[in-house]
Amino acid sequence: GMTGETALTFYQSGNDSILTIEGTNSAGHAQLTLKTGGTTDHCSINFGDSGDHDAGEIRYTNSSDSLNFDTAGVHRMTLDSSGRLLIGTTTVGQATADDLTIATTSNTGITIRSGTGNDGNIYFSDGTSGSDEFRGYIQYGHSNNSMVFGTNASERIRIDSSGRILIGLSSDSRTTTMILSGNSSTG
């Protein structure tokens, strides 16, 4: 094996310090390897300044085979050994829905932002082509401000921009009024 320096520091006054790792030809790969001496240690890339050397950090923890991301000195995200993504937590979700877990101690959510005349979609897929890619779906249409729910790759329920619920229809050519109410008091 190769032996060399145990620590390497670049100082550059007045300009940025740059470290470039480049493959030698068009088929050459560039690689940076961080390796620990044991199986319970971790490897890190730290981001900081003169006041805090590791305010940001990307850390691979060997003992748990997980990749962790910190910002502002706080743990924010983990990609665990099973490929699950945990944001704001180190605890996975319920076993049948634990591939992505998002947690905070306040309001929590996901924003899907699409173009003004376009759709925001959540698809439930059991295949990689054709309608198997969207067997079930939830779709918000910004062009007409409607919410659509689909099963078996077909629209089943639409809530239009006026709040009307259309079942089995995609337009209001035939109107059925359905009033749903719960127990409420207007004190």
Side-chain angles (χ1 to χ4, degrees), residues 93-121:
Q94 199 277 335
T96 61
D98 64 354
D99 301 302
L100 171 62
T101 302
I102 302 171
T104 67
T105 57
S106 187
N107 297 329
T108 303
I110 299 171
T111 297
I112 299 172
R113 182 175 291 120
S114 52
T116 302
N118 301 102
D119 299 331
N121 302 291

Side-chain angles (χ1 to χ4, degrees), residues 72-144:
V74 177
H75 176 76
R76 304 293 184 182
M77 183 171 63
T78 297
L79 181 60
D80 76 5
S81 62
S82 297
R84 297 175 294 204
L85 184 59
L86 312 173
I87 300 173
T89 184
T90 56
T91 305
V92 297
Q94 199 277 335
T96 61
D98 64 354
D99 301 302
L100 171 62
T101 302
I102 302 171
T104 67
T105 57
S106 187
N107 297 329
T108 303
I110 299 171
T111 297
I112 299 172
R113 182 175 291 120
S114 52
T116 302
N118 301 102
D119 299 331
N121 302 291
I122 299 174
Y123 289 158
F124 302 91
S125 170
D126 63 356
T128 58
S129 64
S131 57
D132 285 343
E133 291 187 289
F134 59 94
R135 279 288 161 209
Y137 60 89
I138 301 169
Q139 179 181 74
Y140 190 86
H142 290 285
S143 63
N144 61 10

Side-chain angles (χ1 to χ4, degrees), residues 19-101:
L19 170 63
T20 302
I21 301 171
E22 185 175 327
T24 58
N25 58 42
S26 63
H29 299 286
Q31 180 175 322
L32 172 64
T33 300
L34 302 176
K35 184 177 178 182
T36 64
T39 59
T40 60
D41 297 327
H42 68 270
C43 296
S44 296
I45 299 173
N46 295 319
F47 305 89
D49 56 31
S50 61
D52 189 352
H53 77 281
D54 63 352
E57 182 179 21
I58 300 172
R59 179 181 60 255
Y60 187 83
T61 304
N62 293 323
S63 60
S64 62
D65 284 326
S66 62
L67 189 58
N68 302 286
F69 299 84
D70 298 3
T71 61
V74 177
H75 176 76
R76 304 293 184 182
M77 183 171 63
T78 297
L79 181 60
D80 76 5
S81 62
S82 297
R84 297 175 294 204
L85 184 59
L86 312 173
I87 300 173
T89 184
T90 56
T91 305
V92 297
Q94 199 277 335
T96 61
D98 64 354
D99 301 302
L100 171 62
T101 302

